[in-house]
Each structure stands twice: as C-alpha cells, then as structure tokens.
C-alpha cells in the first residue's frame, strides 16, 4: 500500500474509532503497555495492542494491517477493563477487523473467513447453525483440517449434539428488511 | 450472609443458537433447575442470533440490529431477559448500553427495527441466569433444595471471560465470586482457582488452534493442580473447548488435562438430586460417572 494512501486511510480510520462510544479516549493512551501485558494471545501476535495504538497515532496503519495481530484478539475484554485511560480496546480491535473486511485487506485468512461464514449463516437462517458454519469455514480454509474434526463430530453426533439441517426463524423476511435498512447507514 | 428469597419469578429467556444442538444440555439443565426453583423462564418467541463475537468484525450496526430484535421481543413480554450464554449476555447488554448512550445509533437501530415492523424503547434489563440465581433467588432458597451430600465434590468454578467483562458491575472483572458462592451453597468444596475469568480462546480453538489450545490447556492444567475433581462452566463455548480437546490441549501445555467438565446448572441439578436425564448428563464428552458413583444413561 502506498504511504500516502495509508496515511489517508489511517486518518479516516481514526475518525471511525473516535466515533465509537468512548473511542475518543484513544487520544489519552499513555503507552503503559497494560493492554499488551493483559492480552492472552499477545504472545502469538507480531506486536500487541500497545504497539497498535502507537502505530495508529503515527499514521502507520499499513504496519498494523500487515501484521499478524488483529484477528488473534479473542474479545476477552481484559485490556478494556484494565486500561487506565479507559480506552475500549476490544472495540478498536473490532473496528480494525471491520476495516480489513471492508477494504479486502485481511492478511489473516482464518479469522476473516470465520467471521464471514458466520455472518452469511446468520443472514440466511436468522440463527447460527454450527455444522453449516464449520463446513463453510473448512471448505474455504483447509478442507483437510475438516478431516481432523471427524472424530469429534462423531462423538457429538452419537450424543445427538449435531444439527444437520439448519432451521430458519419464522420472521426471516422481517429481519432481512431490518438488515437492509441499517445497511443504508454507512460502513459500521 | 443469608439472602432473603423475595424474587421476581418470571423472566424472558433467550437460549441462544448453541443451546439448540451442540450445547443443548445447558438449555435442558437450565430449564430443569429453573423449574425446581419455581422460576418461570419464558422463551422469546422466534428469537434470532444475537450476532455473538463473530458478526461484529463484519458489520457492527447489523450485529446490533440482530441483538436489538431480540431486545424488542423481550420488551413485549416484560423487562427482565435471562440468558445463560456469556457471548449472548455481553452482546445483548452491549447493544442495550450503546443504544442508551448514543442517540444516533439508537435512531438508526430503531428505524431498522421499524422497517421490519418492530420497535425497542430501551427498557429491557439483560441478565445472566447465574447472577439471577445468586442475587434474586438467593442462598436460603437454593440451600433448601439440596438433596445430595456434595462434600466430596471439589469444583473449579470457571466463569470465562465475558461474564464479568466488560460489564463488571455485578462481579469482580478478574476474580469473579458469583459461581463460587453458588457452589458453596450447594455444599460442594470450591478450590481456589485464579483462572476463573481467563479466556478459553473461544473461536480461536478453530481459527488459531495453536493459540486456543494453550489457553484452554492452562485452565484445565491449573484446575487439576489445584486439586479440582471437576470444572464447572457458565458458557457454551467454554464448555465445548474445555471438554472436547483434552488430549490435544494436554499435549500443547505438557500436562495431563483429563478432568470432567460440566455446566454449573448440571452441578446444581446433581446437588438437587435430579435424575441425570433431566440434566442431559449423557451429552457430556467427559464422564461424570466416577464423580456420581452411578451410570449415566440417556
């Protein structure tokens, strides 16, 4: 990504973050590192949430997008409750994920594929259907990994815990009207 | 401290998608325990997915509309909405809170609901069933139902992350006590368990298995080290992560991770002397038979 474009996108993105409830508090980050130290998956990240904020404030959004970081956030809210500046970091991570989805920039295929497969399943049936979701997910990522899931699927099946045919909610048409109406109101 | 049992006995009930199949034992045991305690759980008619944590990365407002439709359904029946899934609890509460705080967001969401012939004024209170049991039903009522001597049960109370985070007004965000208090009332021993609110990895068990396995493994390993005979859970995703991959996660953390895992509602039902079938104990992937001293048949 050219630097100028990255800078422009970064400014646009920061405006989106500031529009989140309490998003303005990002400006008050003191770089203490509590977030990164609290993050259960930071060990697997190229760099943690503290460095994400530093990069964003330096206009280096491309650095964040190029790193294996954002999709490792498991939404446990540890950083959010511990942050001394009150930054809603989990929401910032969601905003970053949405940016990657929206611009087609996600480097981390598995997290994004899962989110998409989930949203499609819910859009179609009004509810999540785990068997359908996982079938979509493994077909799009690595079908061979699905084979490794077969023993567990059998253990669940014999206990009657696998739903083979997803059921639609009755009010699906009404729900679709609602989703179409909100879609007219911008990216978030 | 004895809490008096003056509770509202009727709640809207939002089971959530995972309780329909994979985690139906949580739904079955929740309804059984509620019946025993004379709590009326009225399932929302034609509820939809709350959006969970996986819809938010795609579209935030769409995810909020999904949750808001359920809140609108709940508002038609009363003001208290109970759920047992941590993810549903957080997402429904978050939607409620953000709608209350952000007028623009509220208007957008209400317009969307109206486009589908519904509306939500914001009056519903979203609650986790565990918290209802402790705060509304209370100690005396729960103790009075206990039939079985639970003194030999050593329980690691694992609440998971989203029960007390980010909403920490009901319990400590990192060292939650709600489940421990409840389990003590059942007469079981609570083992000190500092990982009670650490994350099991959630969806990462599928999307980033090498990360998810370590997180779940640590929880099971520490529970074993602390002398627990079982782990009690309050979230369907935690339950499946903890019960389904014990061999793999054991290898990931280099420790033996074989330990029975059950929902806190199943533990309550056992203490209340309810038959295994009413708690769907045969659904569990880890065997509870050594703890129960009897066969579990479906």
């Amino acid at each position: 990504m050219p630097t100028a474009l990255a800078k422009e996108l970064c400014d646009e993105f920061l405006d989106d973050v500031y529009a989140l409830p309490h998003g303005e508090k990002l400006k008050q980050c003191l770089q203490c590192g509590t977030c990164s130290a609290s993050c259960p998956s930071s060990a697997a990240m190229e760099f943690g949430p503290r460095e994400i904020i530093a990069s964003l404030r330096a206009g280096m959004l491309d650095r964040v997008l190029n790193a294996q970081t954002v999709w490792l956030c498991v939404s446990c809210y540890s950083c959010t409750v511990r942050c001394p500046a009150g930054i809603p970091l989990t929401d910032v991570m969601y905003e970053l994920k949405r940016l990657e989805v929206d611009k087609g920039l996600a480097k981390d295929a598995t997290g994004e594929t899962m989110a998409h497969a989930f949203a499609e399943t819910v859009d179609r049936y009004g509810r999540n259907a785990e068997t359908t979701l996982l079938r979509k997910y493994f077909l799009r990522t690595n079908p061979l990994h699905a084979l490794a899931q077969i023993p567990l699927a059998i253990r669940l099946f014999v206990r009657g815990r696998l739903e083979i045919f997803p059921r639609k909610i009755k009010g699906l048409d009404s729900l679709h009207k609602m989703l179409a109406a909100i879609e007219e109101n911008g990216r978030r | 401290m004895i809490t008096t049992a003056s509770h509202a006995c009727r709640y809207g009930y939002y089971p959530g998608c995972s309780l329909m199949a994979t985690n139906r034992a949580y739904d079955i045991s929740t309804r059984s325990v509620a019946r025993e305690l004379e709590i009326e759980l009225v399932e929302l008619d034609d509820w939809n997915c709350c959006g969970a944590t996986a819809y938010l990365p795609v579209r935030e407002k769409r995810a909020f509309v999904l949750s808001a439709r359920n809140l609108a359904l709940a508002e038609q029946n009363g003001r208290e909405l109970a759920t047992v899934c941590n993810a549903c609890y957080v997402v429904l509460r978050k939607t409620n809170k953000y709608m209350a705080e952000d007028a623009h967001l509220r208007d957008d969401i209400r317009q969307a609901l109206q486009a589908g012939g519904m509306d939500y004024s914001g009056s519903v209170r979203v609650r986790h069933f565990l918290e209802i049991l402790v705060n509304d039903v209370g100690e005396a009522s729960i103790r009075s139902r206990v039939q079985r001597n639970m003194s030999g049960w050593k329980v690691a109370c694992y609440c998971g992350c989203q029960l007390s985070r980010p909403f920490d007004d009901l319990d400590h965000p990192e060292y939650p006590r709600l489940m421990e208090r409840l389990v003590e009332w059942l007469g079981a021993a609570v083992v000190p368990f500092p990982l009670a609110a650490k994350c099991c990895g959630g969806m990462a068990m599928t999307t980033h298995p090498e990360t998810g396995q370590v997180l779940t493994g640590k929880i099971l390993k520490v529970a074993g080290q602390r002398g627990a005979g079982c782990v009690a859970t309050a979230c369907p995703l935690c339950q499946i992560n903890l019960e389904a991959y014990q061999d793999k996660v054991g290898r990931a953390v280099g420790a033996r991770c074989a330990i029975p895992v059950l929902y806190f509602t199943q533990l309550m039902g056992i203490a209340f002397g309810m038959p295994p079938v009413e708690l769907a104990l045969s659904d569990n992937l880890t065997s509870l038979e050594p703890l129960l001293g009897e066969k579990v048949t479906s």
Side-chain angles (χ1 to χ4, degrees), chain A residues 17-89:
Chain A
V17 169
Y18 299 150
L20 294 169
H22 310 289
E24 291 261 1
K25 291 188 176 162
L26 191 84
K27 294 172 182 168
Q28 290 162 31
C29 171
L30 33 134
Q31 288 288 298
C32 68
T34 302
C35 49
S36 295
S38 310
C39 178
S41 42
S42 63
M45 293 173 173
E46 264 178 66
F47 49 84
R50 180 197 63 79
E51 212 168 317
I52 289 180
I53 296 183
S55 303
L56 290 176
R57 295 203 300 196
M60 297 161 78
L61 180 66
D62 49 335
R63 189 167 177 272
V64 178
L65 299 180
N66 285 328
Q68 180 86 322
T69 282
V70 175
W71 293 91
L72 280 156
C73 168
V74 288
S75 304
C76 76
Y77 293 92
S78 292
C79 51
T80 299
V81 299
R82 283 185 180 177
C83 175
I87 301 167
L89 272 144

Side-chain angles (χ1 to χ4, degrees), chain A residues 82 91 130 159 161 188, chain B residues 22 24 55 60 98 174:
Chain A
R82 283 185 180 177
D91 287 352
E130 280 145 359
R159 289 169 173 81
R161 291 176 60 178
R188 267 180 70 200
Chain B
T22 320
R24 62 180 188 173
Y55 207 111
E60 185 180 47
Y98 287 4
E174 308 201 39

Side-chain angles (χ1 to χ4, degrees), chain A residues 75-77 82 91 98 108 110 123 126-128 130 159 161 170-171 174 178 183 185 187-188, chain B residues 18 22 24 46-47 49 55-56 59-62 94 98 116 162 165 174 207-208 243 283:
Chain A
S75 304
C76 76
Y77 293 92
R82 283 185 180 177
D91 287 352
R98 283 193 291 275
D108 184 335
T110 57
D123 285 350
R127 287 188 189 169
N128 180 29
E130 280 145 359
R159 289 169 173 81
R161 291 176 60 178
K170 287 177 282 175
S174 147
M178 295 174 190
E183 196 69 3
N185 280 309
R187 171 155 77 77
R188 267 180 70 200
Chain B
S18 29
T22 320
R24 62 180 188 173
D46 204 37
W47 53 267
C49 171
Y55 207 111
L56 282 168
R59 283 282 188 278
E60 185 180 47
K61 282 186 186 170
R62 277 174 81 101
K94 193 166 168 173
Y98 287 4
Q162 298 185 334
R165 283 195 307 270
E174 308 201 39
T207 57
H208 301 87
E243 72 176 345
D283 269 26

Side-chain angles (χ1 to χ4, degrees), chain B residues 63-172:
Chain B
F64 286 156
V65 167
L66 288 169
S67 270
R69 181 179 176 275
N70 295 311
L71 295 168
L73 288 172
E75 199 168 51
Q76 292 166 5
N77 297 316
R79 297 204 166 161
E80 303 264 327
L81 179 63
T83 180
V84 286
C85 170
N86 288 4
C88 299
Y89 171 70
V90 159
V91 175
L92 291 167
R93 251 195 100 171
K94 193 166 168 173
T95 305
N96 221 10
K97 180 172 188 276
Y98 287 4
M99 278 183 80
E101 287 177 355
D102 183 335
H104 291 296
L105 185 66
R106 180 169 64 243
D107 291 346
D108 286 352
I109 293 174
R110 286 186 72 171
Q111 277 171 23
L113 290 175
Q114 287 157 7
M118 292 176 78
D119 200 3
Y120 175 56
S121 80
S123 69
V124 170
R125 186 174 166 215
V126 179
R127 305 187 61 186
H128 196 290
F129 187 58
L130 171 61
E131 179 263 314
I132 288 175
L133 290 170
V134 173
N135 292 329
D136 292 10
V137 179
E139 179 171 3
S141 202
I142 288 169
R143 277 192 192 276
S144 72
R145 266 23 177 243
V146 175
Q147 302 275 326
R148 185 188 180 108
N149 180 357
M150 298 293 285
S151 58
W153 290 64
K154 293 178 182 166
V155 184
C157 295
Y158 177 61
C159 293
C161 41
Q162 298 185 334
L163 181 66
S164 55
R165 283 195 307 270
F167 302 111
D168 55 0
D169 51 343
L170 296 164
D171 210 343
H172 192 283

Side-chain angles (χ1 to χ4, degrees), chain B residues 170-193:
Chain B
L170 296 164
D171 210 343
H172 192 283
E174 308 201 39
Y175 301 102
R177 282 279 297 145
L178 281 172
M179 199 201 291
E180 292 183 357
R181 288 169 65 195
L182 181 71
V183 170
E184 281 164 5
W185 299 343
L186 301 177
V190 169
V191 303
F193 189 53

Side-chain angles (χ1 to χ4, degrees), chain A:
Chain A
M1 188 188 294
T3 316
L5 180 64
K7 182 88 180 78
E8 191 183 318
L9 200 55
C10 193
D11 291 342
E12 186 191 322
F13 174 75
L14 282 174
D15 284 340
D16 284 344
V17 169
Y18 299 150
L20 294 169
H22 310 289
E24 291 261 1
K25 291 188 176 162
L26 191 84
K27 294 172 182 168
Q28 290 162 31
C29 171
L30 33 134
Q31 288 288 298
C32 68
T34 302
C35 49
S36 295
S38 310
C39 178
S41 42
S42 63
M45 293 173 173
E46 264 178 66
F47 49 84
R50 180 197 63 79
E51 212 168 317
I52 289 180
I53 296 183
S55 303
L56 290 176
R57 295 203 300 196
M60 297 161 78
L61 180 66
D62 49 335
R63 189 167 177 272
V64 178
L65 299 180
N66 285 328
Q68 180 86 322
T69 282
V70 175
W71 293 91
L72 280 156
C73 168
V74 288
S75 304
C76 76
Y77 293 92
S78 292
C79 51
T80 299
V81 299
R82 283 185 180 177
C83 175
I87 301 167
L89 272 144
T90 311
D91 287 352
V92 175
M93 297 298 261
Y94 277 131
E95 193 65 37
L96 277 165
K97 289 173 184 174
R98 283 193 291 275
L99 177 79
E100 294 193 4
V101 166
D102 195 55
K103 305 280 179 193
L105 295 169
K107 290 269 189 269
D108 184 335
T110 57
E112 195 214 359
T113 306
M114 177 62 88
H116 268 299
F118 185 89
E120 281 169 26
T121 309
V122 173
D123 285 350
R124 179 155 179 204
Y125 300 104
R127 287 188 189 169
N128 180 29
E130 280 145 359
T131 316
T132 309
L133 169 68
L134 291 175
R135 195 185 60 233
K136 278 184 199 216
Y137 171 78
F138 284 116
L139 281 176
R140 290 174 195 177
T141 51
N142 187 343
L144 290 177
H145 288 176
L147 296 177
Q149 302 290 323
I150 289 174
L152 173 60
I154 292 171
R155 288 165 76 204
L156 293 172
F157 179 76
V158 297
R159 289 169 173 81
R161 291 176 60 178
L162 277 193
E163 188 178 40
I164 311 294
F165 304 106
R167 281 170 293 186
K168 289 180 180 170
I169 62 164
K170 287 177 282 175
L172 196 58
D173 287 345
S174 147
L175 178 64
H176 284 161
K177 283 179 193 155
M178 295 174 190
L179 294 176
I182 201 75
E183 196 69 3
E184 290 164 14
N185 280 309
R187 171 155 77 77
R188 267 180 70 200

